[in-house]
Amino acid sequence: MAATDETGPAGQNTTVPGTPPPAGPPVDPAPRADARMPRWLPRAMVLALALIAVFQLGSWAFHQLTGLLINILIAFFLALAVEPAVSWMAARGVRRGLGTFLVVVGVLVVVAGFVTLLGSMLAEQIIKIVEDFPQYLDSVINWINAHFHTELRRVDIQENLLRSDWLRNYVQNSATGVLDVSAQVLGGLFRLLTIGLFSFYFAADGPRLRRTICSVLPPARQTEVLRAWEIAVNKTGGYLYSRGLMALISGLAHYVLLEFLDVPYAPVLAVWVGLVSQFIPTIGTYLAGALPMLIAFTVAPWYAVWVLVFVVVYQQFENYVLQPKLTARTVDIHPAVAFGSVIAGTALLGAVGALIAIPAVATLQAFLGAYVRRYDVTDDPRVHGHRGSGGAGAFGRRGRGLFAQRRPESGGVEPAAAAGVAGAGTVGSGAGGAADAAGAGDGGTAGE
């Protein structure tokens, strides 16, 4: 037992006399006095701080200039829209500055005329409603007294309304908000002036602007920029002109209907329907038809039904007959894509995005279409939505060959698989290539 105790942990730590002690753990050498910081570290820190400062400054400047950038974007698209008309006048000897001025003045006259007509109609309607309000209120009070056996009087209602705290608070808040409304009006006028000036400069100095941009690019890039610019001009101008023509046709058609039904303010309502129905895709016609229906309802309830029927019928005529012919060479995009682009533009830039979304998407689609390689589609019934004879069973028999495995004993594939591979390799050759592929598949050698 004593020998066992000596060989325990305590015995292991003892050293035999005359032997050197065991080596301890390695000790790091003392740092030298001349050790320095790497030379690249201070420069890297300064560069990182400079990049962070530049990013913060750029972010602050971008947020401060967001309004100006949006105005410039609107002005650029307006300049693209009037570019065809300005170029047409310049080709006939009119200076670009004068031609741009004439086009801009013409657009302003049309817009001012529409706003004046619509404002006069609304003002007259408001005045008429205010004058007839006591009669409407008497009729409502008489109906309530007759059906609910009450004794309401118009004089009591007016006195309670005038003495109410709600009306007093509303008048005070409206009086304090007059300055805010005035500031918004002045800001809107200044924004319109800014957009008009930039649009004029972009359209009048279009060639100079293109030369300035191309002067900092290599020749290959210059060709791409000029091509993209030309596509943008064609698509934007074509979109506005085609929509304007369809707005004119829609306004004339609805004007004839409203005049036939003897609905008041027929010219203004026709212009309203024409503009709103064309520049708000897919649902614009129904939104625009709500106002004529309301005015027609005040004349006779059945007139509102006739207006609704005409709006629905005309929308179908426009979608399937008129619009494909007018927009075949300008802005030929799917209605679902147009509606989605309007929603996306509204989410990004509000009403401005809704106006420029369709020409922007059409320009992008036309520009990318030149770089996307397209092939002839094989003459397969499934392309046209037909599943072929036999339904799912026939498709199953055809589809099994697509997943056939190579047989080790024969060194080939099943005939159906060979036909599928050959057909996939000849997509660009049309129906003839598909037929050749099918023949090769029957022989069992197309896979090799």
Side-chain angles (χ1 to χ4, degrees):
M1 295 298 292
T4 304
D5 294 337
E6 291 178 358
T7 58
Q12 294 177 359
N13 294 333
T14 60
T15 58
V16 180
T19 60
V27 180
D28 295 336
R32 295 182 303 174
D34 58 347
R36 297 180 180 179
M37 183 183 301
R39 295 181 178 180
W40 57 267
L41 186 57
R43 288 181 293 180
M45 295 176 62
V46 172
L47 181 61
L49 293 176
L51 290 177
I52 294 175
V54 170
F55 176 78
Q56 294 292 337
L57 181 60
S59 178
W60 173 80
F62 178 79
H63 287 293
Q64 295 294 325
L65 299 176
T66 300
L68 178 60
L69 295 177
I70 293 176
N71 293 338
I72 293 176
L73 181 63
I74 299 173
F76 179 71
F77 272 93
L78 291 178
L80 294 179
V82 302
E83 177 71 20
V86 175
S87 299
W88 181 83
M89 298 178 68
R92 284 155 178 79
V94 182
R95 297 181 58 183
R96 290 189 65 89
L98 179 59
T100 305
F101 176 77
L102 294 177
V103 173
V104 171
V105 169
V107 172
L108 291 178
V109 168
V110 172
V111 173
F114 171 71
V115 172
T116 302
L117 291 176
L118 186 62
S120 62
M121 183 195 72
L122 292 177
E124 292 181 5
Q125 287 294 108
I126 292 173
I127 293 174
K128 184 178 179 181
I129 291 174
V130 171
E131 292 177 351
D132 298 339
F133 182 76
Q135 299 178 2
Y136 295 150
L137 185 59
D138 289 338
S139 62
V140 172
I141 292 174
N142 294 332
W143 184 83
I144 293 175
N145 292 333
H147 288 79
F148 297 97
H149 305 288
T150 58
E151 296 181 356
L152 297 176
R153 295 187 306 171
R154 177 162 57 88
V155 178
D156 297 336
I157 295 176
Q158 291 178 350
E159 290 180 356
N160 293 331
L161 182 62
L162 293 176
R163 294 177 182 177
S164 62
D165 295 334
W166 173 82
L167 182 62
R168 187 181 301 106
N169 294 331
Y170 178 77
V171 172
Q172 292 177 356
N173 295 331
S174 300
T176 56
V178 171
L179 295 178
D180 296 335
V181 173
S182 302
Q184 292 179 0
V185 171
L186 293 177
L189 293 177
F190 180 76
R191 184 177 183 182
L192 291 177
L193 180 61
T194 303
I195 294 173
L197 288 177
F198 275 107
S199 301
F200 178 82
Y201 291 139
F202 285 153
D205 294 338
R208 184 184 304 175
L209 180 61
R210 286 191 287 269
R211 286 195 300 268
T212 303
I213 295 176
C214 292
S215 63
V216 297
L217 298 173
R221 297 297 181 184
Q222 293 179 14
T223 304
E224 298 299 329
V225 169
L226 293 176
R227 185 174 180 276
W229 196 296
E230 182 180 2
I231 291 175
V233 169
N234 293 334
K235 293 300 179 180
T236 306
Y239 168 74
L240 293 180
Y241 295 149
S242 61
R243 288 293 172 177
L245 182 57
M246 287 192 296
L248 179 61
I249 298 174
S250 177
L252 291 176
H254 287 84
Y255 172 74
V256 172
L257 173 69
L258 296 176
E259 280 291 337
F260 178 77
L261 297 178
D262 198 15
V263 177
Y265 311 107
V268 181
L269 293 175
V271 175
W272 164 264
V273 172
L275 292 179
V276 175
S277 63
Q278 299 308 318
F279 290 96
I280 300 180
T282 307
I283 61 173
T285 301
Y286 305 105
L287 293 177
L291 184 59
M293 287 175 56
L294 181 62
I295 302 299
F297 185 82
T298 60
V299 178
W302 283 106
Y303 285 1
V305 177
W306 284 112
V307 172
L308 176 61
V309 172
F310 183 82
V311 167
V312 174
V313 172
Y314 182 82
Q315 177 68 17
Q316 305 306 316
F317 167 76
E318 180 182 285
N319 290 339
Y320 295 101
V321 179
L322 187 62
Q323 184 173 353
K325 294 182 178 180
L326 293 180
T327 61
R329 297 183 179 180
T330 55
V331 184
D332 189 12
I333 59 177
H334 195 274
V337 177
F339 186 65
S341 63
V342 170
I343 294 178
T346 304
L348 293 175
L349 299 176
V352 175
L355 291 176
I356 67 176
I358 293 181
V361 170
T363 302
L364 181 62
Q365 177 181 346
F367 184 73
L368 295 179
Y371 297 95
V372 177
R373 186 177 181 183
R374 297 183 182 273
Y375 301 92
D376 294 334
V377 180
T378 180
D379 192 9
D380 195 308
R382 289 167 291 181
V383 175
H384 306 286
H386 305 294
R387 301 190 64 180
S389 59
F395 178 78
R397 291 192 298 272
R398 295 178 182 178
R400 282 198 302 269
L402 299 176
F403 304 97
Q405 301 293 330
R406 183 178 294 272
R407 294 181 178 180
E409 66 275 12
S410 61
V413 296
E414 293 183 1
V421 174
T426 57
V427 175
S429 59
D436 295 338
D442 295 336
T445 59
E448 299 296 333

